[in-house]
Each structure stands twice: as structure tokens, then as C-alpha cells.
Amino acid sequence: MAVIKANSEDEKLLARLIRAEAEGEGELGMLMVGNVGVNRVLADCLDFRDIRSIQRMVFQQPGGFEATQKGYFYQRAREREIRLARRVIRGEKTHPAEYALWFFRPTGDCPSAWYNQPLAGKFKSHCFFAPTPENCSSVYQY
């Protein structure tokens, strides 16, 4: 059962995003990027109040993903990443991204907060940041 509404085109779009943002981080890193995407669709808070679809989440401006500005993102989705996208759409969560709304790759250590939200953890070269339940309870409902 999906936790967000998604058709096959949405799955492919999310697959392209997770590959372009985190292919170098392996499957686990790509699942975490997928978690952030699904969380942004679910979140009815902060910068994500009007984001209710994968399409709007991927191309959100401002505050969207850098990968959409690169040619690699526009290559056809591969079956491997489509399977990963389906897993997160169905609700699979991976720590430290299970409630994260942001991630980025710093040049040094992870800061303790990003957009005033606390560091949830680090995976390889990416830092993940999750809102508190008080700031965004909708992320914690599935």
C-alpha cells in the first residue's frame, strides 16, 4: 500500500531523482533521498505546505533539488532505481532519513542544524535533517 499517490510516471520521476542525487551513495543512499522526497509530499508544514505530488516535489522552486538542473537527471529511469522508488512510495524508511525533509553534502562536517531543523544523522557524504514533531507532525504520521 502506497503512503503517497503515485503512478508509473511518478515512480520513474522519483527514480531519476534518487539516481541523480545519490547514485554514488549506493542503494541505501538512494533510498534515503527517496525518503526525503516522500516526506516532502507528506509534509503539510514549513516549506512544503503546497507540495502534494512527486512532480511538484521534484521541481519545487525555490527549494527544490539541484539535480533537476543537470543533464544526468533527464536520462531515462532504470529498473533498479524504479524498484527503489517503489519501495519508498510504499513506506519503506531508512535511518537517518526516515523523517528528514532536507539533505546536503557539506565540504566539512555536518552542521548541527539546517533551516533551523536538527541534524538527524549522516550517511557517507550526505547530512540529513528532520523537523521536530512540533514543527511538522505530518512527517511522523506514517
Side-chain angles (χ1 to χ4, degrees):
M1 177 89 169
V3 296
I4 61 171
K5 192 175 186 177
N7 60 33
S8 63
E9 292 305 308
D10 295 322
E11 291 171 350
K12 290 175 188 173
L13 182 59
L14 183 57
R16 290 176 20 222
L17 178 70
I18 64 178
R19 179 187 67 218
E21 287 284 353
E23 184 175 40
E25 307 286 293
E27 285 196 8
L28 201 53
M30 288 189 285
L31 284 170
M32 290 179 197
V33 167
N35 283 155
V36 169
V38 168
N39 289 342
R40 287 181 177 190
V41 174
L42 289 169
D44 188 16
C45 61
L46 305 167
D47 296 331
F48 310 103
R49 291 190 191 282
D50 296 321
I51 307 298
R52 292 293 161 263
S53 71
I54 289 175
Q55 176 82 19
R56 295 223 24 214
M57 174 271 296
V58 169
F59 294 107
Q60 179 186 8
Q61 290 299 324
F65 294 94
E66 288 182 21
T68 62
Q69 301 168 15
K70 314 264 192 248
Y72 188 55
F73 169 77
Y74 293 94
Q75 294 178 8
R76 186 176 68 79
R78 297 182 299 207
E79 195 56 42
R80 172 185 170 203
E81 287 84 24
I82 292 170
R83 283 193 302 273
L84 295 174
R86 285 179 184 142
R87 287 169 59 184
V88 296
I89 289 168
R90 290 182 184 136
E92 184 174 329
K93 292 179 172 266
T94 305
H95 181 77
E98 63 264 30
Y99 304 111
L101 291 174
W102 302 273
F103 67 89
F104 81 105
R105 182 180 187 165
T107 55
D109 293 334
C110 295
S112 61
W114 185 252
Y115 292 105
N116 297 316
Q117 302 304 316
L119 175 68
K122 183 175 183 177
F123 180 77
K124 293 187 178 181
S125 59
H126 284 87
C127 306
F128 291 85
F129 300 85
T132 63
E134 295 78 27
N135 285 335
C136 191
S137 62
S138 54
V139 171
Y140 293 87
Q141 292 180 4
Y142 87 95

